[in-house]
Amino acid sequence: MIPAVVPCTDRALWDEEVDRLQGHPQQLWGWGETKAQHGWSVDRVLLDDGGTTIGCAQLLVRRLPFPFRALVYIPRGPVCSAEHTGAVLNSLADHAASRHRGVVLSIEPDWDLDSPYAAAVAGAGFRETSNTVLIPRTLILDLTRTDEELMAEMSKSTRANIRKAMRSDIEFRKVKTESELEQVLGIYHETAERAGFGIHEDQYYRDIFRNLGDSSPIIGAFDGEQLLAFTWLARSGSTAFELYGGVSAEGQKQRVNYGVKWAALQAMRGDGCVRYDFNGLLNDGISDFKKQFAKHEDMLMGTWEKPLSPLYPVYTQAMPLARKGLQAARRTAKAVAGRARALLGR
C-alpha cells in the first residue's frame, strides 16, 4: 500500500513525530521556520499507512527560473524505518511533482552508507549526485558510552587539554541571553576570518536561536561575563548536531575550545541525546581538530536525487554553473563586508 501524504500544520504534533521516529534536528519545525525566513518555502508532511504514521518529511522548496520551476530538498530526511523507505520515498516524489511541480527531489538522509536504507533509496529511482549541501563524511559519537569510554577514543593531548580546561576557573554553560548571543556572533566572525570560511548574515543566526529555542543550545566557555569559545548545536530527541563553533584569540591561548566541546557532549547526553554528530569532515584545520575526539569516522549516504521532470538533464548542467556564480558573489560580498568592518574599526 502506498502511504498517504498528509500535511501537518501543528508544531507540537510535528516535533513529537520527528522525535518519536528518531529524526534529525534539521527536520524540526524551528529549522524549517528559519529556512522559510531566508528564501525557502516549507511543506511538512506525515506519511500515513492505514491510520499509522510511518514517516515524515520537512520539504524545503526553492523556486527556480523558468522552465525549471522548483527544487524540492529534504535535509537529513525523510524520517522513517528502513522497511518503509521505498514506499515513503515514492509517495514523497509523487507529492513533490504534483504539489510543487519540482524538477527534482533531492534528499540528504541521516542514514549510514552501508545501512539497509541504501538499496531502498536506489530502488525508488534516486541517483547519487555530487551536488552536495551537507557533507556525508563525518564523526558521530555514541553518547550511551561512559566518559571513560569516550575519552579512550581521544588523543592523549586532547584528554589533557579537556582536563586542564575543566580544572580552570572557566565556566561552561548554555548561552542564555540576546547579549550573550551577540558575543557568540562576534567570535564567529573572528573565527571565520581567521579560518577563511564564509558565513551567513547575522540575522540568520538570530533567527535560528529564536525559532529553535531549547532545541538549539549554545554551550559557551565564559571567563566572568566574557565569552571565549562556543559550540552551537541543534538537537532532536535522539541526535545532537553541531551547527557552528568558534573561539577567540584568548580562548585559543587557553585552549578552552577543548573544554567547550567536552561540555557540549556532556550537556547533550544530559538532554537525552544518544548520538552526537560533528557535522562534516573536510581536509582542513577545523576537521583536524574534530578528529582528535575519536579514532573513527562515519560515512552517511550523501546526496541523492530523483528526477521529476524531462528537464532534469538540463537542470543538472545548469545548477553547477549557477552555484559557481553564487559562490563568487558571496566571496565578493564577504570581502566588501570585511573592508567595511575594518573601516568602522570593528
Side-chain angles (χ1 to χ4, degrees), residues 5 10 23 71 193 256 302:
V5 176
D10 183 324
L71 160 68
E193 290 178 8
V256 297

Side-chain angles (χ1 to χ4, degrees), residues 265-285:
L265 293 171
Q266 297 289 303
M268 293 303 96
R269 183 166 59 187
D271 284 350
C273 295
V274 296
R275 300 168 72 239
Y276 186 104
D277 188 341
F278 280 69
N279 184 12
L281 296 175
L282 296 169
N283 296 315
D284 61 4

Side-chain angles (χ1 to χ4, degrees), residues 269-345:
R269 183 166 59 187
D271 284 350
C273 295
V274 296
R275 300 168 72 239
Y276 186 104
D277 188 341
F278 280 69
N279 184 12
L281 296 175
L282 296 169
N283 296 315
D284 61 4
I286 294 173
S287 297
D288 290 341
F289 172 68
K290 293 178 180 180
K291 287 189 285 187
Q292 295 180 55
F293 287 83
K295 296 176 182 177
H296 73 277
E297 295 180 7
D298 295 89
M299 184 62 74
L300 300 180
M301 281 191 60
T303 311
W304 291 71
E305 294 181 343
K306 182 166 185 176
L308 303 178
S309 162
L311 293 171
Y312 175 76
V314 182
Y315 163 86
T316 61
Q317 296 178 18
M319 276 304 294
L321 295 175
R323 175 170 286 190
K324 286 181 181 179
L326 181 59
Q327 289 171 342
R330 285 175 175 168
R331 285 194 296 269
T332 300
K334 179 185 174 186
V336 170
R339 288 195 293 270
R341 284 194 295 271
L343 289 172
L344 293 171

Side-chain angles (χ1 to χ4, degrees), residues 84-106:
H84 294 130
T85 302
V88 164
L89 288 175
N90 284 326
S91 288
L92 289 173
D94 289 345
H95 176 74
S98 61
R99 173 70 177 83
H100 301 292
R101 304 183 73 180
V103 67
V104 64
L105 173 59
S106 177

Side-chain angles (χ1 to χ4, degrees), residues 76-304:
R76 290 294 180 257
V79 184
C80 63
S81 66
E83 66 178 305
H84 294 130
T85 302
V88 164
L89 288 175
N90 284 326
S91 288
L92 289 173
D94 289 345
H95 176 74
S98 61
R99 173 70 177 83
H100 301 292
R101 304 183 73 180
V103 67
V104 64
L105 173 59
S106 177
I107 65 172
E108 290 181 327
D110 190 28
W111 301 331
D112 290 341
L113 181 62
D114 59 355
S115 69
Y117 289 95
V121 172
F126 285 74
R127 58 187 70 177
E128 192 171 9
T129 175
S130 60
N131 191 26
T132 297
V133 177
L134 298 169
I135 302 166
R137 177 179 165 232
T138 188
L139 169 59
I140 300 175
L141 297 185
D142 178 1
L143 294 185
T144 66
R145 307 182 78 185
T146 66
D147 287 355
E148 293 73 19
E149 289 171 329
L150 289 172
M151 281 202 168
E153 290 290 305
M154 301 178 189
S155 68
K156 183 178 179 180
S157 61
T158 299
R159 292 194 296 269
N161 285 328
I162 289 172
R163 288 169 178 146
K164 181 179 179 181
M166 292 302 165
R167 289 195 301 267
S168 71
D169 293 331
I170 300 299
E171 180 185 10
F172 297 95
R173 63 169 174 82
K174 292 182 179 180
V175 168
K176 302 174 183 176
T177 66
E178 297 282 348
S179 62
E180 290 178 349
L181 176 62
E182 294 308 307
Q183 287 195 64
V184 167
L185 296 179
I187 288 179
Y188 197 44
H189 277 287
E190 178 184 339
T191 303
E193 290 178 8
R194 183 172 61 238
F197 59 84
I199 60 176
H200 295 280
E201 60 179 351
D202 286 353
Q203 190 58 44
Y204 181 80
Y205 304 107
R206 296 186 187 110
D207 289 338
I208 291 175
F209 189 70
R210 292 165 187 162
N211 289 329
L212 277 166
D214 291 341
S215 295
S216 188
I218 306 173
I219 311 303
F222 288 87
D223 184 0
E225 298 298 317
Q226 182 181 4
L227 181 70
L228 299 178
F230 72 91
T231 297
W232 190 336
L233 305 121
R235 68 161 186 85
S236 57
S238 61
T239 298
F241 181 68
E242 284 193 1
L243 294 175
Y244 319 107
V247 58
S248 68
E250 179 59 29
Q252 273 193 320
K253 182 179 178 181
Q254 298 187 39
R255 301 197 174 189
V256 297
N257 46 332
Y258 289 89
V260 81
K261 191 77 73 178
W262 180 250
L265 293 171
Q266 297 289 303
M268 293 303 96
R269 183 166 59 187
D271 284 350
C273 295
V274 296
R275 300 168 72 239
Y276 186 104
D277 188 341
F278 280 69
N279 184 12
L281 296 175
L282 296 169
N283 296 315
D284 61 4
I286 294 173
S287 297
D288 290 341
F289 172 68
K290 293 178 180 180
K291 287 189 285 187
Q292 295 180 55
F293 287 83
K295 296 176 182 177
H296 73 277
E297 295 180 7
D298 295 89
M299 184 62 74
L300 300 180
M301 281 191 60
T303 311
W304 291 71

